[in-house]
Amino acid sequence: MQRLHRRYLAEWMLMLLLLPSAIVWLDGRPGLVEANAAIYDRMLFDSAQRPSGDILIVGIDKRTLEMLGPWPVPRSIHALLLEQLARRAPKAVLLDLFLSTPSSDPTQDQALAAAMAKVPVYLPLDYVTGSGRTSSFRPPIPVLAKAAHGVGHANATPDADGLVRGLWRWEGPAQEAWPYLGLVIAGKPGAPVAASQLGEEASEGWVRLGRFGIDFAGAAGSYPTVSYLDMLRGDFNDELVRGKLVLVGALADAALGDTVPVAGIGAQTNLPGVEVHANAIDSLLHDQAIEVPVDWRRVLWISVPIWIALLLFLLNASHSAAWTLSVAALCIGLNYLALVQGRIALPLASPLCGVAAAYVLWSWRRMSELLLFFRERAERLNAVPAGAFEPPLPLQPVALDSVERRTNTLDLAIERLTRLQALLTQGMWSLPVPVLICRPDGVVSQSNAAAQQLLAPQPSLSSAGAMQRPDDGADRLQGADLPQLIAGLRKAEIEDPRMVQGRVQTIWDEAMVREYTTEQGSIFTLRAALLDESNTQSASSRAWVVVLNDITAERQAQREREQWFSFLSHDVRSPQVSILSLLALHVDGASDGDVQHMIDGIGREARRTIQLAESFMDMLEAESKVYRFAPTLAGSVVLDAIDAIWSAAHARGLTVEPRLGAAEGALWADASLLTRGLVNLLNNAIRYSQPGDTIYVCVETDSQSALAHGEVVISVQDEGSGMDASQIEELMTHEGGRKSTPGADAEAGHGWGLGLMIVRKVIARHGGWLDVVSAPGAGTTFLIGLPLSPEDTQFEPPGGETAAVEGTSAAAPRLSR
């Protein structure tokens, strides 16, 4: 298997390195060039730029030549045209005319130069091809070049398919590259520079740099056009020229040969050179020129999609087709955005071909490796004895080739293993004892329903059908680190001989000498055993069977027994000892006044004994499962509790003030038991309050609760001595209570430990929570949270004591304070 894996990765690395290089090399070859160009043309056709209103074309058309005579017309005519334009204050004028040879009449050149001085005029260079296929640019004659506002090349070089898609920013001989005339008009440097200054080696005779694409606005006539003859005569509105960039050149019907085929505007269309330059200059002036990168950015654009696809194939080979389509769609979207929004022309066919080639090669190699793997595994599976699980041999015709024979053999082995696995899995799942199968490092490989209910309870496992698998069939604990999972559940150490000897062999040895408590209150111990101790199996592949022994009931019974012993030894004995002490004083010869004091004391302690007995009865009833739930108003429960303690509060000179902000909050509760729980809290507040104090009982609704229908919060606040942090912790954690304050009236209440237990039991059975806020000298506030009843009150209340753990409820979190 490792050999196949290494070979698998080696082939993947080979494709990662060689495939992008091959596609980059093919990018400039026939086939991909045409495909990339066709996609580019189609995308531009769907997003053609709008022609700018800042450009006006003065076209030399057929009618102009008929009136002025054959081409070339005298340069004095051009001078007259410039004078006509100058009077209308254009922004600039581009004479798309090659004026590289002097006129036969020098006065013609002088007249044109004089007219050029009245308005900014730009002139193009004449591209000529000499002997030996050498090319060069011929500038305008000196008198005109000197009068021109700028000079640049206007060469529209077609692509390999003969269509013009863009121009070169810099072009010319290596020792003197000229800028495109549109750059000069746009305010870029207009002087020629050496190719070496542009970062280009000057070894070649001709240099072309900075290719940019043109998003053509449309067919001929897309830009406002006026006939040369009409402009010469002055037959136009002055506003047509004022502030515009005027391009003067030949139109298509003049038949002067100044037309080129362009791409990106649908079917093959020829545009006159002056319109090509109008589109190009418009793009440059408005930052709409399309950049055509040919450097490392183009290489990365082709390579990165292939790398991403191969990486996704490696991470999740089963979805390779989906990854291929996703990467291809991403390339198309990015390519369109780059072209339309970013004005960057990137090849699309090249990366798409690379991604498709990566998918084909990957699928081919993957299938080859899979076939080899299946053949080896089928041979090994057929050699494993199945014993009683051997399925009957299928009656199949004799296979015609080796592939069919291997398929039949693999089907038989799969059938045997499937039956065995189903039997073992179902048997383990149905065990009532929590069982897990773990690796030596503690990672869970498999668990049964009881283990998941203990460590990862789910609604599908907590019902009566706990042995039924969840609908998704998922193992909730599979892949979990068991030592880390139970590390926070440690409760106490138990004696173990291995710890006494100081010998720890595995992580299980340490885990087996501790008890653990879950968030739901379940307590368990752990036992582990090696599943297979044969030496033929490597240590890293061995499995451990871990059994979780639930001792919750034992510890609960032990804790309750200790609590009852504590209450009986303290609360029951205390009043009897007091009575015996008073009787002993009487026997020793107390006076008449002492006799009356003894009688009062015996009566007080007798009443304490009766109250204690009633508390025990309340406790037994709170622990019983006979709760009578019914729709109850929170306000009525609070008022009933206040009525029950009114006389005791009045006797001590206390005021009980109810604040029923949410008195009509509906609860699904046993009103009698809930009232008795509140009475215990109020008795405690009376006991620790001084005469003249006020006890506040508030009822509010918490709309921010995590419960579906919200909750009612009942608070009991006194102005007594209060408690410090240690006393609060003892009260809420160890069933303790506040020590009696000197001078406190013993008749005001009974042992607070038992009273708090009653309150907790009642609140827990109602699915609520209990919390306390106190500080020395600042009084104490007890808070009770109870879930509001939904509109349909025929639901089962949250049941079981385990709904509340140590003063809070699993059904609802405490309020943050």
Side-chain angles (χ1 to χ4, degrees):
M1 182 64 186
Q2 292 181 353
R3 177 180 60 83
L4 291 177
H5 185 67
R6 287 195 299 268
R7 181 179 174 184
Y8 197 60
L9 289 178
E11 292 180 352
W12 180 82
M13 289 294 297
L14 198 62
M15 285 189 285
L16 196 70
L17 295 174
L18 297 183
L19 186 57
S21 302
I23 299 299
V24 169
W25 180 77
L26 292 173
D27 180 57
R29 300 299 184 272
L32 282 181
V33 172
E34 289 77 5
N36 287 324
I39 297 173
Y40 171 84
D41 296 342
R42 181 60 193 177
M43 287 187 177
L44 282 186
F45 179 74
D46 293 335
S47 61
Q49 70 173 353
R50 294 182 179 180
S52 172
D54 299 334
I55 296 177
L56 174 67
I57 296 177
V58 176
I60 301 173
D61 53 7
K62 181 179 179 181
R63 186 165 62 92
T64 299
L65 295 180
E66 289 176 351
M67 294 298 297
L68 300 180
W71 188 261
V73 298
R75 293 178 181 175
S76 58
I77 301 297
H78 299 323
L80 293 175
L81 177 68
L82 292 178
E83 291 177 355
Q84 284 278 19
L85 292 172
R87 287 193 290 269
R88 275 77 177 183
K91 180 179 180 181
V93 177
L94 167 61
L95 285 179
D96 188 19
L97 308 172
F98 298 121
L99 305 175
S100 56
T101 58
S103 177
S104 58
D105 184 2
T107 60
Q108 297 279 337
D109 296 333
Q110 294 293 336
L112 181 57
M116 291 172 59
K118 300 177 182 179
V119 63
V121 177
Y122 296 86
L123 297 178
L125 298 169
D126 188 10
Y127 177 76
V128 295
T129 303
S131 59
R133 296 185 178 179
T134 59
S135 302
S136 63
F137 282 135
R138 289 192 306 189
I141 60 176
V143 65
L144 298 181
K146 184 178 180 180
H149 202 69
V151 178
H153 84 83
N155 192 24
T157 306
D159 292 337
D161 58 358
L163 299 178
V164 173
R165 294 182 175 84
L167 300 172
W168 296 95
R169 287 184 170 87
W170 294 88
E171 187 171 353
Q175 65 277 10
E176 190 180 43
W178 286 85
Y180 170 58
L181 190 57
L183 288 177
V184 180
I185 296 175
K188 306 297 181 181
V193 297
S196 59
Q197 294 179 268
L198 298 174
E200 182 75 8
E201 296 292 336
S203 58
E204 298 292 335
W206 193 262
V207 174
R208 290 189 175 98
L209 296 174
R211 179 77 166 177
F212 71 92
I214 305 172
D215 190 1
F216 291 101
S222 299
Y223 286 87
T225 304
V226 179
S227 173
Y228 186 100
L229 183 60
D230 293 339
M231 186 65 69
L232 186 64
R233 292 173 174 174
D235 297 338
F236 60 91
N237 191 333
D238 293 353
E239 295 300 323
L240 186 64
V241 177
R242 183 170 291 109
K244 303 293 182 61
L245 174 61
V246 180
L247 279 64
V248 181
L251 299 182
D253 64 349
L256 296 180
D258 188 22
T259 59
V260 293
V262 298
I265 54 176
Q268 181 172 334
T269 304
N270 290 342
L271 283 183
V274 67
E275 289 220 31
V276 172
H277 295 305
N279 282 274
I281 295 172
D282 192 8
S283 298
L284 292 172
L285 289 176
H286 296 88
D287 294 327
Q288 293 297 313
I290 300 173
E291 185 179 359
V292 185
V294 292
D295 51 5
W296 57 270
R297 293 174 295 175
R298 190 180 185 95
V299 174
L300 277 183
W301 167 252
I302 296 174
S303 303
V304 168
I306 302 175
W307 292 338
I308 293 176
L310 289 173
L311 181 61
L312 292 174
F313 296 164
L314 184 64
L315 295 177
N316 192 341
S318 59
H319 297 87
S320 54
W323 293 134
T324 302
L325 295 177
S326 300
V327 173
L330 180 63
C331 287
I332 295 172
L334 291 178
N335 186 276
Y336 184 80
L337 289 177
L339 181 60
V340 176
Q341 301 295 331
R343 313 308 291 174
I344 300 176
L346 296 170
L348 180 58
S350 299
L352 291 182
C353 288
V355 171
Y359 173 73
V360 173
L361 290 175
W362 177 263
S363 300
W364 168 57
R365 292 310 306 152
R366 181 165 171 259
M367 292 303 299
S368 177
E369 297 295 339
L370 284 176
L371 290 176
L372 179 61
F373 173 78
F374 285 154
R375 186 184 68 182
E376 294 179 355
R377 287 298 182 267
E379 293 173 354
R380 291 180 60 181
L381 288 176
N382 289 332
V384 176
F389 305 103
E390 185 72 41
L393 295 177
L395 299 177
Q396 296 180 348
V398 179
L400 299 179
D401 57 15
S402 59
V403 175
E404 188 175 355
R405 288 195 300 272
R406 290 170 182 168
T407 302
N408 295 338
T409 304
L410 184 60
D411 287 341
L412 180 60
I414 292 174
E415 178 67 19
R416 295 162 61 196
L417 291 179
T418 300
R419 292 189 181 187
L420 179 61
Q421 182 187 17
L423 177 63
L424 295 177
T425 301
Q426 186 60 36
M428 177 179 170
W429 181 266
S430 302
L431 287 176
V433 179
V435 178
L436 305 99
I437 308 296
C438 299
R439 300 202 307 249
D441 58 358
V443 175
V444 178
S445 301
Q446 188 176 358
S447 64
N448 67 350
Q452 296 181 36
Q453 175 62 20
L454 183 64
L455 297 179
Q458 297 290 329
S460 60
L461 297 177
S462 59
S463 61
M467 292 300 123
Q468 297 295 325
R469 279 190 175 274
D471 295 338
D472 57 3
D475 190 337
R476 312 289 182 185
L477 296 176
Q478 186 176 15
D481 189 336
L482 184 59
Q484 183 177 359
L485 183 64
I486 64 177
L489 306 179
R490 294 180 178 179
K491 181 180 180 184
E493 290 190 6
I494 58 179
E495 294 185 0
D496 189 273
R498 288 167 296 188
M499 297 304 294
V500 175
Q501 299 172 5
R503 178 173 60 90
V504 178
Q505 295 180 348
T506 65
I507 60 175
W508 308 114
D509 292 328
E510 182 180 359
M512 286 190 292
V513 297
R514 300 183 183 276
E515 289 184 1
Y516 304 91
T517 303
T518 66
E519 295 181 357
Q520 290 71 35
S522 300
I523 305 173
F524 64 90
T525 57
L526 181 146
R527 291 291 179 267
L530 190 60
L531 187 61
D532 187 359
E533 298 188 11
S534 61
N535 295 328
T536 58
Q537 192 179 25
S538 64
S540 60
S541 61
R542 293 177 181 175
W544 288 76
V545 178
V546 180
V547 179
L548 307 180
N549 183 26
D550 191 346
I551 59 173
T552 306
E554 300 174 16
R555 293 294 179 262
Q556 179 70 17
Q558 180 182 357
R559 184 168 60 252
E560 292 180 354
R561 184 168 58 251
E562 293 174 353
Q563 291 174 352
W564 282 109
F565 284 158
S566 175
F567 293 145
L568 290 174
S569 64
H570 179 271
D571 290 46
V572 174
R573 293 177 70 245
S574 177
Q576 308 306 319
V577 170
S578 298
I579 292 174
L580 291 175
S581 299
L582 292 172
L583 291 175
L585 290 175
H586 178 67
V587 172
D588 290 341
S591 62
D592 294 341
D594 293 334
V595 170
Q596 185 60 42
H597 177 72
M598 178 193 67
I599 295 173
D600 294 340
I602 291 175
R604 181 175 60 253
E605 296 304 327
R607 286 192 295 274
R608 286 183 60 195
T609 303
I610 294 173
Q611 290 177 353
L612 183 61
E614 291 177 351
S615 296
F616 276 115
M617 296 301 297
D618 290 344
M619 183 67 185
L620 292 176
E621 186 174 358
E623 287 185 335
S624 70
K625 296 183 179 179
V626 186
Y627 274 57
R628 297 177 178 84
F629 288 93
T632 304
L633 294 180
S636 65
V637 173
V638 171
L639 292 177
D640 289 345
I642 294 175
D643 290 342
I645 55 88
W646 183 262
S647 59
H650 182 71
R652 288 184 58 85
L654 303 176
T655 301
V656 180
E657 181 177 337
R659 295 180 177 178
L660 308 181
E664 297 183 357
L667 305 174
W668 183 253
D670 186 323
S672 175
L673 282 175
L674 191 57
T675 300
R676 270 184 267 178
L678 290 175
V679 167
N680 276 280
L681 290 180
L682 289 169
N683 279 331
N684 181 68
I686 293 172
R687 181 178 182 181
Y688 294 102
S689 297
Q690 299 298 324
D693 288 351
T694 301
I695 299 173
Y696 299 95
V697 185
C698 304
V699 182
E700 297 294 339
T701 301
D702 182 11
S703 59
Q704 302 298 324
S705 170
L707 299 181
H709 303 284
E711 63 182 0
V712 169
V713 179
I714 302 174
S715 63
V716 177
Q717 179 181 357
D718 62 47
E719 297 175 344
S721 58
M723 296 181 288
D724 57 25
S726 61
Q727 290 175 319
I728 294 176
E729 182 178 3
E730 182 182 5
L731 177 70
M732 301 303 293
T733 307
H734 298 97
E735 310 289 351
R738 290 183 288 183
K739 296 180 180 179
S740 299
T741 305
D745 185 358
E747 288 186 306
H750 46 59
W752 178 233
L754 185 60
L756 183 59
M757 284 189 63
I758 296 172
V759 175
R760 285 181 174 172
K761 296 291 184 182
V762 172
I763 294 175
R765 291 298 298 272
H766 284 80
W769 52 264
L770 175 67
D771 203 353
V772 60
V773 178
S774 183
T780 302
T781 301
F782 280 91
L783 300 160
I784 299 175
L786 297 170
L788 280 170
S789 171
E791 294 181 0
D792 183 6
T793 57
Q794 304 300 320
F795 72 96
E796 292 295 332
E801 298 175 5
T802 57
V805 180
E806 300 302 333
T808 185
S809 171
R814 294 185 184 182
L815 294 177
S816 298
R817 295 178 179 84

